[in-house]
Amino acid sequence: MQTDSSFTFVLFGGTGDLSMRKILPALFEAHRAGGMLADSGKIVAVARHVADRGEYLQWVDEHVKPHASKNGVDEAAWTSFLARIELVKIDLGNPEDFAQLRDAIQDMPGIRVFYLATGPSLFVPICHALAAVGLNHNARIVLEKPLGYDLKSSNAINDAVGEIFAEEQIYRIDHYLGKEPVQNLLALRFGNALFEPLWRREWVESIQITIAEELGVEARGDFYDNTGALRDMVQNHLLQLLAIVAMEPPHSMDSDSVRDEKLRVLRALKPIDPHEIGKVAVRGQYHSGVIRGNAVPAYATEHGVKPDSSTETFVALKVEIENWRWAGVPFFLRTGKRLADRVAEIVVNFRAVPHSALGASALRAGANRLVIRLQPNETIRLYCLAKQPGEGMNLASVYLDLAFDRFFREAQMEAYQRLLLDVINGRLALFVRRDEQEAAWRWVEPILNEWKASTKLPKPYAAGTWGPAAASAMLAQHGTCWLEEEN
Ligand code: BG6
C-alpha cells in the first residue's frame, strides 16, 4: 500500500514502556516495510528526562531496537528510521511549555497525530494545553486504555477531551481490534454466506470467548491492583470481541456502519441484576502455583499489590443479548492471569441434531462447533461427526481445519502497526466510539459495584490452572463446559 499522507506523529510518554515495546517498534515496522509511511513523515517524541535528541536516539537504540523486528533489524532501515525522530523536551505538567512544542512542529508537514501514551490523569491537562497553543486543529488524538475507572470518570475524560477535539478526531485504542485474526473474524462472518443462516439462536446453543494469559501482573502490580480483570480486559477487549461475534452484518465497512452495529449489541446486553450476580459472574485471584514447570508467586505477594488485596485476576461471566437473533443463547466470557495456557479463542457450539438415527453420540452437545483461535497460531476449525472406519456405525469427532500460515506466506501485521497506520490515514473503524465505550461501562458497572460492596473475597485458584471451580460450575448449570474440559 503506497501512501502520500504526510504526518507529524507526536508521542507523549516517549520513554514509557508502551512507546518502547509497542508504538516505536510498530512505526519502525511500517517504515521498514516501505511505502506505508510518507517519506516526509516525522516522529516527535515528547520526553522530559533526556538531555537532547542524541541521548534520546541512544535510548531508542538500546531499548526499542530489541523489540523492533522479530527476525533481526535491517540496519539501513533502522538508521533511516532514526532520522525521522525528533525530540521535544517539555514538562507535561506545565502548560506554558506547550508553546515550545508548537514552535517545534509548526513547520512540519501533514496531519498532526498526538498519541497520549501517558497515564490517564494526564489526558485532560494535555488536551487543554494543546488547545491553548492552537494545536487542536488539523490534528488527531489517540487515547490509550484505560479510559476512566467507571462510567462517571470515563464520561469526565470524554467530556473534557470532546470540548477540544471533535469525535472524528478522537481515536480510542483497543488493540484487540487491530489484531489480524479479529479482522479475519469479520471476513469469516461477512465474506461467506455459509455461516450467516446458522449464526443465530435457532442453531447456536452457546458461545464461549476466552482470553487466557500465562503471565501475571509483571511490573504493573500497582496499576493492576487498582484496576482488576473486569476493567482491564472485560470492559474493553472481551466486550468488543462479543460485539463483533454477535453484531448484524454492517451495511459497509466504513467506520460508523461497523461501530453502529457493535453499539446495538452492547446496548442489547441484558442488564445484570445485582441479586443474580452470584449466578452469572465469578471472580478469582491466583495463588502460588506452577506454570510450565516454574513456580510462580501468589498475586497478593506481587510487587505493588496490597497483601490483603481483593482485586480479581480472573473473571468468568454469563452474558445474554436481548434481541431476536440471540435471545436465550448464553455467551460465556472468561479471562485471567496466570492460567494454564496463553490462548484467545471463540467457540461457537451448535445445537445437536433434533433426532438421531445414528445413535446417541450424534445428540452430544458440541458435536458441531466452530473454534476460532485468535492466538497463538491462528486457526479456524469446524468440528463435525464422521463415521469411524470399520464395522458398525460409530461416530467420531473430526474437523475441517483452516490454518492461515498454510495459506498465506505473508507475516501477520501487528495490531499496533495496523492501528497507527489507520490513525495516520484517518480510518476510524477499528477505534472505539464514545457511545460504545459508555454502553460497555454501563453494562459492567453493576458488577463493579456489587463486588466493591461485597464482603466475599475473590475465589482462589492456583496459578497454572484454569481458574476457580465456580467458573466450571456456572457452565455445568447450562449443560456445557469450557472447551479444554472436554479433552
Ligand atoms: C492489555 C491488558 O490491554 O492486554 C494487559 O492491559 C493484557 O493486562 C494485554 O496482558 C493482553 O494483550 P495480548 O495482546 O497480549 O493478548
Side-chain angles (χ1 to χ4, degrees):
M1 172 191 15
Q2 287 292 327
T3 181
D4 55 3
S5 324
S6 196
F7 63 90
T8 298
F9 189 99
V10 181
L11 180 56
F12 290 95
T15 49
D17 203 61
L18 192 68
S19 300
M20 176 175 84
R21 287 173 199 278
K22 298 286 184 194
I23 301 170
L24 288 168
L27 287 170
F28 169 68
E29 197 46 38
H31 169 86
R32 191 201 57 77
M36 290 185 177
L37 295 180
D39 290 343
S40 56
K42 284 279 177 201
I43 299 166
V44 180
V46 180
R48 194 180 168 195
H49 298 294
V50 274
D52 52 24
R53 176 171 182 264
E55 193 176 300
Y56 184 66
L57 294 188
Q58 210 175 328
W59 178 87
V60 174
D61 216 47
E62 270 170 39
H63 293 87
V64 178
K65 206 171 178 185
H67 298 284
S69 221
K70 281 181 203 138
N71 307 316
V73 170
D74 167 347
E75 288 300 329
W78 183 251
T79 308
S80 55
F81 175 66
L82 293 184
R84 285 186 187 268
I85 302 180
E86 301 293 338
L87 174 77
V88 172
K89 252 188 85 163
I90 60 171
D91 176 357
L92 296 181
N94 187 5
E96 279 87 66
D97 279 12
F98 280 66
Q100 286 176 46
L101 175 65
R102 181 199 52 211
D103 295 346
I105 66 173
Q106 67 186 356
D107 295 328
M108 289 186 186
I111 187 85
R112 288 174 183 145
V113 173
F114 296 110
Y115 198 118
L116 273 50
T118 64
S121 60
L122 288 172
F123 289 175
V124 175
I126 291 176
C127 288
H128 280 299
L130 287 171
V133 295
L135 283 177
N136 53 331
H137 305 292
N138 185 32
R140 299 181 183 134
I141 185 133
V142 189
L143 304 175
E144 262 296 335
K145 71 175 262 287
L147 207 90
Y149 189 73
D150 51 18
L151 181 60
K152 192 167 160 220
S153 55
S154 135
N155 277 344
I157 295 175
N158 279 322
D159 284 345
V161 175
E163 279 174 18
I164 293 163
F165 292 96
E167 182 63 28
E168 314 78 71
Q169 293 176 286
I170 305 174
Y171 290 68
R172 296 179 193 82
I173 288 240
D174 181 316
H175 78 279
Y176 262 73
L177 294 181
K179 287 183 186 260
E180 190 84 52
V182 177
Q183 299 293 295
N184 233 329
L185 180 58
L186 290 168
L188 180 85
R189 283 204 58 202
F190 305 128
N192 298 290
L194 175 67
F195 297 107
E196 169 54 23
L198 305 178
W199 212 257
R200 59 191 65 245
R201 62 188 302 280
E202 289 82 355
W203 298 106
V204 174
E205 193 169 63
S206 67
I207 294 187
Q208 300 174 12
I209 308 179
T210 293
I211 305 179
E213 297 186 86
E214 284 180 23
L215 288 179
V217 292
E218 305 294 289
R220 299 195 307 156
D222 202 17
F223 156 79
Y224 194 89
D225 208 32
N226 289 306
T227 304
L230 193 64
R231 291 185 178 92
D232 189 41
M233 299 295 286
V234 178
Q235 187 273 341
N236 33 68
H237 307 324
L238 273 166
L239 288 184
Q240 284 291 327
L241 287 182
L242 170 99
I244 290 176
V245 171
M247 75 197 233
E248 295 299 317
H251 152 72
S252 77
M253 291 311 282
D254 75 40
S255 49
D256 280 330
S257 300
V258 175
R259 299 190 300 177
D260 286 348
E261 295 305 340
K262 284 194 291 161
L263 177 64
R264 283 196 185 103
V265 174
L266 295 169
R267 287 193 173 154
L269 297 179
K270 183 177 176 186
I272 297 277
D273 174 352
H275 304 293
E276 297 277 296
I277 278 189
K279 291 190 196 148
V280 297
V282 175
R283 62 172 168 161
Q285 188 187 89
Y286 65 81
H287 284 203
S288 58
V290 177
I291 297 190
R292 298 196 188 274
N294 299 315
V296 296
Y299 173 73
T301 64
E302 300 268 20
H303 184 71
V305 172
K306 291 183 282 309
D308 60 348
S309 171
S310 60
T311 299
E312 77 286 354
T313 60
F314 174 97
V315 178
L317 298 170
K318 180 191 147 198
V319 183
E320 285 178 81
I321 300 174
E322 296 185 311
N323 63 19
W324 274 37
R325 190 185 281 268
W326 295 117
V329 177
F331 284 68
F332 298 107
L333 309 187
R334 172 174 65 156
T335 186
K337 299 247 180 231
R338 291 286 190 225
L339 296 184
D341 203 358
R342 173 178 183 254
V343 63
E345 67 191 2
I346 297 163
V347 181
V348 181
N349 285 315
F350 293 98
R351 294 189 188 283
V353 294
H355 164 76
S356 172
L358 300 174
S361 56
L363 293 168
R364 189 164 61 84
N368 292 156
R369 69 159 54 110
L370 187 69
V371 179
I372 303 162
R373 158 83 54 116
L374 305 175
Q375 63 186 31
N377 311 329
E378 181 185 7
T379 50
I380 297 181
R381 287 182 174 171
L382 181 61
Y383 286 79
C384 310
L385 292 178
K387 182 190 169 298
Q388 259 181 353
E391 206 193 342
M393 177 58 87
N394 297 318
L395 301 183
S397 182
V398 294
Y399 52 80
L400 302 167
D401 193 4
L402 177 57
F404 288 85
D405 56 358
R406 265 193 266 136
F407 283 93
F408 301 109
R409 291 273 160 257
E410 299 91 333
Q412 287 197 356
M413 191 183 269
E414 287 288 329
Y416 270 91
Q417 185 182 340
R418 181 192 322 283
L419 294 174
L420 296 185
L421 288 170
D422 280 0
V423 179
I424 290 169
N425 292 304
R427 296 186 287 251
L428 272 160
L430 302 182
F431 296 84
V432 181
R433 211 169 53 191
R434 175 174 180 167
D435 45 13
E436 291 179 78
Q437 197 177 47
E438 279 178 21
W441 274 123
R442 197 163 285 124
W443 187 79
V444 297
E445 212 154 59
I447 314 176
L448 288 172
N449 294 339
E450 200 58 26
W451 283 352
K452 190 168 160 206
S454 169
T455 51
K456 286 191 199 143
L457 292 172
K459 297 195 177 354
Y461 62 97
T465 65
W466 282 102
S472 303
M474 184 168 75
L475 270 67
Q477 281 177 356
H478 291 271
T480 181
C481 63
W482 297 104
L483 185 60
E484 78 281 351
E485 292 170 339
E486 294 228 332
N487 306 320

